[in-house]
Amino acid sequence: MERDDIIIRKGIVHILDFFKGYLGLSSSLLEHGPELNDYIRGHIYKLMSSDDMKKCRFNEENSPVYSMLETFDEDSDEDFIAVSSKVAEIIFDVMCDSGEIPSADFVMASFQVESTIHLAFLKMNYKENFIHRQSEENQNDLVLQRITLPSDSSRLSEAVIVNLKTMEVRMIEKKYEVRGEKVNYLSEQVFYCHTDLPSKKKLNILTKAIQDINNKFDQVDFETKMDAKSILQQEFVEKQEFNVEEIGDRIFGNHPAMKQEYDEVLERYDMQFDKFKVANENTVKKLEKQIIVTDRGIEIKIPMEEYNTKTNVEVIEEPGGRKTIVIKNIENLMLK
């Protein structure tokens, strides 16, 4: 999906200012213009292309938001205002129970990607920035402006996107203290969702599990440990997704004790049969290189494509446990 594939249909903004004790509900939709549309589109695109977003499922029996969206008519301005106002009220009530959740402008916007309409609930937390002010005596000062919205280049830390066709939910959220307990209030007390782990976190868990297991078992030689990362990278290149069960079979299939530990570690995160994709190429960038650090602080970075050829890089296990790394066929060297 490209940024220009997102078509903004309509939007509304409500004010959630806990510090002033003010809930400012709007009775009309936003007046669209190219700059405003581009601002909202930019934030939605960053969210949709982020691997920090969690997939969620509505608790259909308990979620008031789900109940509203079941009968929601996106074409109706009255429905749009009513649903957005109710969600704003629910969030503001939780903010009053917390005292820690930041004040914000709350934007609900509908947008279309191809033929599918989505709803974006964007909590635009206030920032503090300095602006200039000129007095009547032409004296210029810098003053702190306490209510400014996130810039175009920033990414929201609290937002929810709902596919109105499938009712699938994607969410990014932060924990705040509510009535003395740290909670994910958006998923637990506003939208009432069962949340999955973000793809980025799943990949971190997967790579760490493989690394920890390889380091734990003494019979694994160094090249086999390097091959494990290579297999993980190949899995993504070949299939554009990570199949947790298949990866475990490929890496640990010939080592029952290691495979059992792998399954147990991934089961703790309910990931043992998981398949997940990543949206942002930066998420898998760490798989593009083998990075070796010696006990003397020498760091060697080998592009995975070069390592996979097995012709120009060789790791030799010496008697006594020492290792020799041989890099062959070098035509030119340069300092960086």
Side-chain angles (χ1 to χ4, degrees):
M1 183 191 68
E2 301 297 329
R3 178 177 172 139
D4 290 342
D5 294 336
I6 298 171
I7 301 171
I8 305 299
R9 292 170 60 91
K10 60 178 66 173
I12 190 169
V13 61
H14 304 294
I15 300 170
L16 312 177
D17 194 337
F18 167 75
F19 294 106
K20 292 183 178 177
Y22 177 63
L23 171 62
L25 298 179
S26 178
S27 59
S28 59
L29 302 182
L30 287 168
E31 293 185 9
H32 284 282
E35 292 181 350
L36 178 57
N37 279 356
D38 201 49
Y39 176 73
I40 295 174
R41 180 186 297 111
H43 280 294
I44 290 173
Y45 176 71
K46 287 188 184 74
L47 293 167
M48 295 282 282
S49 58
S50 168
D51 290 314
D52 290 316
M53 294 281 280
K54 300 184 285 190
K55 290 183 179 179
C56 310
R57 303 178 306 280
F58 278 116
N59 183 333
E60 298 178 9
E61 293 182 1
N62 297 328
S63 173
V65 178
Y66 178 82
S67 297
M68 288 186 284
L69 295 184
E70 273 192 306
T71 57
F72 174 66
D73 179 6
E74 190 268 345
D75 287 327
S76 166
D77 290 354
E78 288 184 1
D79 267 17
F80 205 91
I81 294 168
V83 168
S84 65
S85 298
K86 184 59 180 176
V87 176
E89 288 176 352
I90 296 171
I91 294 175
F92 192 73
D93 285 344
V94 179
M95 290 170 67
C96 292
D97 287 337
S98 167
E100 184 179 288
I101 300 169
S103 296
D105 278 5
F106 173 66
V107 174
M108 189 178 95
S110 60
F111 66 95
Q112 185 172 328
V113 178
E114 295 180 347
S115 60
T116 303
I117 299 174
H118 302 71
L119 270 187
F121 302 88
L122 311 176
K123 187 165 176 286
M124 297 185 165
N125 295 336
Y126 296 151
K127 306 290 183 182
E128 292 186 349
N129 287 305
F130 281 93
I131 61 172
H132 71 263
R133 182 174 62 189
Q134 188 176 57
S135 67
E136 294 180 1
E137 294 79 20
N138 290 329
Q139 177 181 346
N140 297 329
D141 289 312
L142 294 177
V143 295
L144 187 63
Q145 181 71 28
R146 294 188 179 276
I147 300 180
T148 60
L149 296 183
S151 66
D152 291 344
S153 59
S154 64
R155 191 173 64 186
L156 302 182
S157 60
E158 297 185 86
V160 179
I161 293 176
V162 179
N163 182 321
L164 290 179
K165 183 176 181 180
T166 63
M167 296 297 276
E168 293 175 337
V169 183
R170 295 182 67 192
M171 179 181 299
I172 188 167
E173 60 180 341
K174 292 183 68 175
K175 280 189 174 183
Y176 291 100
E177 187 173 297
V178 180
R179 294 182 178 176
E181 182 182 358
K182 285 278 187 181
V183 295
N184 286 313
Y185 76 94
L186 275 181
S187 59
E188 296 175 23
Q189 300 183 6
V190 178
F191 287 86
Y192 287 81
C193 288
H194 303 291
T195 63
D196 199 359
L197 291 171
S199 296
K200 188 175 182 179
K201 188 164 186 178
K202 286 184 178 183
L203 182 57
N204 288 339
I205 291 169
L206 181 61
T207 53
K208 189 175 188 306
I210 293 168
Q211 182 178 331
D212 289 349
I213 293 167
N214 274 329
N215 289 334
K216 179 179 178 179
F217 288 80
D218 295 333
Q219 71 267 29
V220 180
D221 60 51
F222 190 74
E223 189 167 1
T224 300
K225 294 177 183 180
M226 295 176 70
D227 286 345
K229 187 173 184 180
S230 173
I231 290 170
L232 195 59
Q233 190 257 355
Q234 289 172 21
E235 181 84 5
F236 175 73
V237 170
E238 293 168 5
K239 301 182 178 178
Q240 296 298 301
E241 73 171 6
F242 295 97
N243 184 322
V244 173
E245 187 176 21
E246 188 173 287
I247 289 168
D249 289 336
R250 288 182 67 180
I251 296 176
F252 302 120
N254 295 325
H255 305 279
M258 298 174 73
K259 179 61 166 59
Q260 181 179 346
E261 179 134 350
Y262 173 85
D263 291 339
E264 288 173 356
V265 171
L266 275 299
E267 189 175 3
R268 287 178 214 149
Y269 297 94
D270 197 23
M271 284 178 54
Q272 67 272 32
F273 304 115
D274 212 344
K275 298 177 184 178
F276 63 94
K277 298 179 182 291
V278 298
N280 193 321
E281 62 180 17
N282 288 329
T283 303
V284 293
K285 214 163 186 62
K286 62 185 176 182
L287 299 180
E288 295 176 358
K289 289 184 176 66
Q290 295 276 14
I291 301 176
I292 303 169
V293 182
T294 74
D295 54 356
R296 297 185 179 181
I298 300 171
E299 185 173 301
I300 304 169
K301 295 181 181 180
I302 306 170
M304 192 63 76
E305 186 176 345
E306 187 69 24
Y307 176 80
N308 289 340
T309 63
K310 301 293 185 180
T311 56
N312 295 329
V313 180
E314 184 180 0
V315 179
I316 302 172
E317 301 279 346
E318 305 282 3
R322 292 183 178 273
K323 299 171 179 61
T324 298
I325 299 173
V326 180
I327 303 175
K328 309 172 186 177
N329 301 319
I330 299 171
E331 293 184 3
N332 188 28
L333 290 172
M334 62 180 291
L335 293 175
K336 187 174 180 181

